Amino acid sequence: MKTSIDRASDHMETKSMTPRANPRQRLQQVAELVRDYGPAELADWFGEGVNEFEGGAKRSLDMALGLRGRGIELPPRTLARAARDAALVRVWLLFPDRPDETIATRGRRFAAWLTDFGLRRWPRIQSGARAPADALEAEACAAFEAAEPLVKVPASWDRLRAIVLGE
């Protein structure tokens, strides 16, 4: 007994996607495969999304399929945020503290230093005009590199505190 994957594979052999087909034709061919060989719920969901995209109701296919939008994180953004956060924790651990300084005071200094780094030093390091001066700057570079272009490095201590202290 053939599975739906086997039937779809046979279909692909007899009616293969032409290499020079434009993306819309390929999308239609994929939609036909899903409709013909996929579960009904998947076919309905995918078909409606393709129709919304092709009809102009949605700007992108991922939005039409409900894969992107308010509150929905795509994997690249999630990975960039995790890498940025890990680098920010390392920067925090390297950031010098002062005797008799509270966490809040140190945090505000940290936020100001990070903002200054992002505005003044990071562009010069990124362009190759200069190298990071120390381990602290090297880790800050890692945070900014991980963040670009998908997420930003927070400028406020309130946002940074949630990242570096896990609050």
Side-chain angles (χ1 to χ4, degrees):
M1 175 172 219
K2 286 189 171 188
T3 66
S4 60
I5 293 174
D6 294 330
R7 290 192 311 270
S9 179
D10 292 344
H11 178 81
M12 290 299 293
E13 289 174 10
T14 59
K15 186 181 178 183
S16 64
M17 288 191 218
T18 58
R20 295 194 183 265
N22 71 42
R24 288 196 185 267
Q25 289 171 330
R26 286 183 181 203
L27 181 60
Q28 280 301 321
Q29 289 172 338
V30 170
E32 288 173 20
L33 285 172
V34 171
R35 184 188 66 232
D36 294 345
Y37 300 105
E41 295 156 356
L42 176 65
D44 291 343
W45 166 76
F46 193 74
E48 287 175 18
V50 169
N51 289 339
E52 283 186 4
F53 172 64
E54 288 190 332
K58 299 287 182 170
R59 295 181 303 171
S60 66
L61 181 59
D62 55 342
M63 289 180 78
L65 293 172
L67 300 174
R68 183 175 66 165
R70 187 179 193 99
I72 298 173
E73 291 290 327
L74 295 175
R77 185 175 299 240
T78 303
L79 293 173
R81 180 174 287 117
R84 176 208 63 192
D85 291 356
L88 285 172
V89 168
R90 291 189 305 269
V91 175
W92 171 254
L93 294 172
L94 290 170
F95 191 72
D97 56 347
R98 296 178 179 158
D100 300 325
E101 184 177 47
T102 66
I103 291 285
T105 304
R106 181 176 181 227
R108 286 190 294 276
R109 264 192 331 106
F110 177 67
W113 180 87
L114 204 56
T115 300
D116 180 68
F117 179 86
L119 294 173
R120 296 178 187 209
R121 296 179 213 151
W122 171 239
R124 294 183 60 219
I125 293 170
Q126 190 178 29
S127 71
R130 79 174 191 89
D134 53 19
L136 179 65
E137 283 193 359
E139 289 299 337
C141 288
F144 279 88
E145 283 175 0
E148 289 182 348
L150 300 172
V151 293
K152 295 182 178 187
V153 174
S156 74
W157 170 237
D158 289 337
R159 290 273 298 117
L160 287 166
R161 181 180 58 229
I163 294 168
V164 300
L165 298 180
E167 293 179 355

